[in-house]
Amino acid sequence: MFANVARSVRSWPDRWRARPTPAKDGALAAALTLMGFVPTLNDIGAQLGNLPQRPPDALTVVLAAVLTVAQSAPLAIRSRWPAACLAIIGAAFALHQALGCPPTFASIGLYLSLYAAGAHQARFRRGLAAVSTAGYTLLVVVLHGLGSPNGVQVFLAFYLTLAVIWLAGAGVRRWRADAAERRRLSAQAAKGAERARIARELHDVVTHHVTAMVIQADAAQFLVGSAPERAGDGLAAISDTGRRALTELRHLLGVLEATGDSAAADRAPALGKVGDLVEQARLSGQPIELTEHGDQRPQAVDVELAAYRVVQEALTNALKYAQGRPTAVTVHHRDDRLEIEVTNEAPTGAAPAVPSGGRGLDGLRERVHMLDGELVAGPRPGGGFGVRALIPYRSEP
């Protein structure tokens, strides 16, 4: 008997890996029902009572056919209503054994319904296990009273087999729950990382341009009273800065739309546009010297964007804390990396032109670190402040 059980159980692991669907359950029930009427497969079915078989009369044939179908057809609902499936098949199996009907392969349905209950039953699991155990105990008492030749050890071993099948289903249920939790946590982490990336981009775009516009507006206000003929230049600078900000914000919104537009990368700020940053800062009254060493070569979009943001954030801080002080931007195009250094002389000690949230450099460090680079920022020994970034080259993804 247990050799037959072992042969049946060997074919189950592949079923455990995939979550069943109603269509698959229906196909399984139909297949098992048909196989239950194949005489050569009857010896593989589950057998517990080993009572003398009923005489093969018409009533026995009809009764055996009905119980065969009752032990296999309910598998069609095993994933939707596993408790009902187990109750019907369990009752049919008990009647089949107690009435001494001929063995049938359809009795394998008992194992499958037990596994389904362990894997899919969501509520009252302990109650279902207790009721099933009580039902099995009652069946054992009935079979013993009908003269079953099996001893206590056989009934106990069969029960342990059923318990292992239930636990296997419960284990798969826990594995699925853990996998779902891992997917949820992974999605949550991905959303958090994306929010942080969007926050960095918004900070870099808004802070730089708004800082420049505030300083340019202050300068224009001063010129209105002292040199009205030059006030128009200040207003034009504010207008130009606003247009640049709108362009970068449109690019960022286009990326967030995730439309798959391949032109989005072409609209991203690139290393070649560092000169525009310098010119914009000069219009705000900041004396800046830009120096480049080596030949500039096209790089991956994330490398060029990171380099652009480093210069942008450093110039923003220079406008905030060292307004009007000489600032130097140096770019080295090495064979394997890009080196950027932005320094400014010591500020005059006045309060910052624009309040700061203090998150720009931290976001830059994280951005550069994601590219296996390094960013160092801090006061210079001779006074002033410096930002230095090393960004390795990388191929296009």
Side-chain angles (χ1 to χ4, degrees), residues 12 16 19 78 82 111-122 125-126 128-129 162-179:
W12 294 354
W16 292 356
R19 186 177 182 84
R78 72 186 187 109
Y111 304 145
L112 298 179
S113 63
L114 265 174
Y115 167 78
H120 303 298
Q121 182 64 27
R125 294 175 60 84
R126 293 184 178 178
L128 179 60
L162 300 180
V164 168
I165 295 172
W166 170 283
L167 293 176
V172 171
R173 177 180 178 83
R174 285 193 298 271
W175 175 79
R176 287 173 179 160
D178 292 342

Side-chain angles (χ1 to χ4, degrees), residues 21 30 34 89 97 138 151 156 170 172 188 192 206 217 257-258 295 307 343 349:
T21 62
L34 293 177
I89 292 180
Q97 297 298 310
L138 179 61
L156 180 60
V172 171
Q188 185 176 2
V206 175
E257 286 175 356
D295 296 329
T343 60

Side-chain angles (χ1 to χ4, degrees), residues 194-256:
E194 185 64 13
R195 284 195 297 266
R197 185 186 71 84
I198 294 171
R200 289 196 304 268
E201 293 291 342
L202 285 174
H203 172 274
D204 293 341
V205 173
V206 175
T207 302
H208 175 78
H209 292 295
V210 170
T211 298
M213 292 172 69
V214 169
I215 294 174
Q216 291 164 354
D218 291 342
Q221 185 177 9
F222 173 78
L223 291 174
V224 167
S226 61
E229 68 278 1
R230 296 178 55 192
D233 295 337
L235 295 175
I238 295 174
S239 177
D240 181 66
T241 302
R243 289 188 178 92
R244 292 174 187 270
L246 288 175
T247 299
E248 291 197 34
L249 286 174
R250 288 193 191 100
H251 159 69
L252 181 57
L253 291 175
V255 173
L256 294 180

Side-chain angles (χ1 to χ4, degrees), residues 43 87 96 117 119 153 174 202 240 269 273 293 295 300 335 385 396:
D43 291 337
H96 188 272
Q153 67 277 10
R174 285 193 298 271
L202 285 174
D240 181 66
K273 298 181 180 179
H293 301 279
D295 296 329
D335 293 336
F385 197 84
E396 283 284 359

